[in-house]
Amino acid sequence: MKMIELKDGYGITSDGKSYTLIQYAIQTSKNGDEKEIQKSISFHSTLESALQGYSNCRMADLVSNVDLDLKDVEEAINELKEEIKTYDCK
């Protein structure tokens, strides 16, 4: 499967027909062994839609971890828009 690596442990995979937004996570077994896994976050028919899903997840992560005022939110949104432009899916 082909993959686009994104920031903060996210990525997008494709099977050639659709896109899956994934997040890397560490899974610990009962005996304490750790391994990196890919958790499927959402499924999309277009790359543009998958990138929008990524943007939504990043904003949710940010808001859940930090107290923000409206100016900070606007700044974070603008930074995400600039990042997504670098992937230029059009």
Side-chain angles (χ1 to χ4, degrees), residues 1-25 36-41 47 50-51 54 87:
M1 237 188 265
K2 300 294 180 187
M3 175 144 154
I4 299 169
E5 291 191 31
L6 304 170
K7 291 184 178 179
D8 291 342
Y10 287 95
I12 295 174
T13 61
S14 175
D15 61 5
K17 295 180 176 97
S18 61
Y19 301 89
T20 304
L21 177 63
I22 58 107
Q23 185 175 31
Y24 295 103
E36 186 176 75
I37 61 166
Q38 294 179 5
K39 293 189 324 183
S40 295
I41 303 295
L47 180 56
L51 287 169
Y54 164 67
Y87 301 113

Side-chain angles (χ1 to χ4, degrees), residues 15-78:
D15 61 5
K17 295 180 176 97
S18 61
Y19 301 89
T20 304
L21 177 63
I22 58 107
Q23 185 175 31
Y24 295 103
I26 301 297
Q27 184 178 54
T28 305
S29 67
K30 289 180 183 178
N31 65 2
D33 292 336
E34 292 183 344
K35 69 176 182 176
E36 186 176 75
I37 61 166
Q38 294 179 5
K39 293 189 324 183
S40 295
I41 303 295
S42 54
F43 302 95
H44 303 270
S45 59
T46 66
L47 180 56
E48 188 172 32
S49 172
L51 287 169
Q52 183 59 53
Y54 164 67
S55 178
N56 292 343
C57 286
R58 288 279 311 276
M59 283 306 299
D61 290 347
L62 182 63
V63 170
S64 70
N65 292 322
V66 180
D67 290 331
L68 300 170
D69 62 27
L70 195 53
K71 184 177 186 213
D72 294 333
V73 171
E74 184 178 21
E75 225 173 82
I77 289 170
N78 288 335

Side-chain angles (χ1 to χ4, degrees), residues 71-89:
K71 184 177 186 213
D72 294 333
V73 171
E74 184 178 21
E75 225 173 82
I77 289 170
N78 288 335
E79 286 175 15
L80 267 172
K81 284 180 182 178
E82 288 302 311
E83 178 190 343
I84 289 173
K85 280 182 189 176
T86 65
Y87 301 113
D88 196 23
C89 61

